[in-house]
Amino acid sequence: MSPNSAPTWKAATKPTRVGYVRCSTAQHELQSQLDALQEADCDPVFSEKISTRVKVRPEFVEAMDLARTIKKAVPHQRVIFTVHEMKRLGSGATELLAIAEDLRHHDIQLELLTGPLQGVYDPSGRGAALFAFFAGMAKSEREYIREKSLEGQASARERSRRGGRP
């Protein structure tokens, strides 16, 4: 190759990382998730304090819409939807698998910063079955926590204790 000829390969471009953070209640804090996404070089980051039981999470919808818009406008650009952990995306296996399918359909990768699937996940790649397994486990974990909470509340009632402030 002569010194004046341009290379035939394209320079590697930095992936676009769209971040999303969520916690369930106003009493919980988002800062540790925000710090982790900032360290992962996410820009922009969408955040909200809302339960996954709420059917429409406006900031989540906006984050997904932006990721899809970027991918549609610049198809060769690597777009990564980044969350702190899987349970920030959703609570049930059905919901998580629907999100994974949406990402796969739009050729957007998913990045989990912590948990058993930590790293960048390609919903259409070899990790699809593993993601489905962990989505099912997330639902089981949620049900287990709910059962234990209800048991604790029943035990407290038996001892004439009520929850909340006096």
Side-chain angles (χ1 to χ4, degrees), residues 26 50 57 80 90 92 113 122-123 142:
I50 191 168
R57 295 175 282 154
I80 303 173
L113 299 179
D122 182 354
R142 182 179 175 98

Side-chain angles (χ1 to χ4, degrees), residues 124-138:
S124 62
R126 290 179 271 159
L130 190 59
F131 187 82
F133 169 76
F134 282 110
M137 292 303 296

Side-chain angles (χ1 to χ4, degrees), residues 39-54:
E39 189 174 313
D41 204 24
C42 294
D43 185 33
V45 174
F46 295 83
S47 67
E48 59 192 343
K49 292 188 175 192
I50 191 168
S51 172
T52 54
R53 292 181 189 188
V54 175

Side-chain angles (χ1 to χ4, degrees), residues 16 18 63-80 102-103 105-108:
T16 299
V18 177
M64 289 289 285
D65 286 346
L66 178 63
R68 285 187 215 105
T69 299
I70 293 168
K71 190 64 179 181
K72 186 175 181 179
V74 190
H76 66 276
Q77 176 67 34
R78 186 173 172 211
V79 178
I80 303 173
D102 186 25
L103 293 170
H105 179 74
H106 292 93
D107 195 26
I108 298 169

Side-chain angles (χ1 to χ4, degrees), residues 17-22 31-46 81-85 88 111 113:
R17 282 186 160 81
V18 177
Y20 174 72
V21 299
R22 182 197 63 78
Q31 196 57 52
S32 60
Q33 292 180 57
L34 290 167
D35 293 344
L37 268 66
Q38 181 180 8
E39 189 174 313
D41 204 24
C42 294
D43 185 33
V45 174
F46 295 83
F81 192 84
T82 304
V83 295
H84 190 255
E85 56 189 327
R88 298 298 120 209
E111 181 176 28
L113 299 179

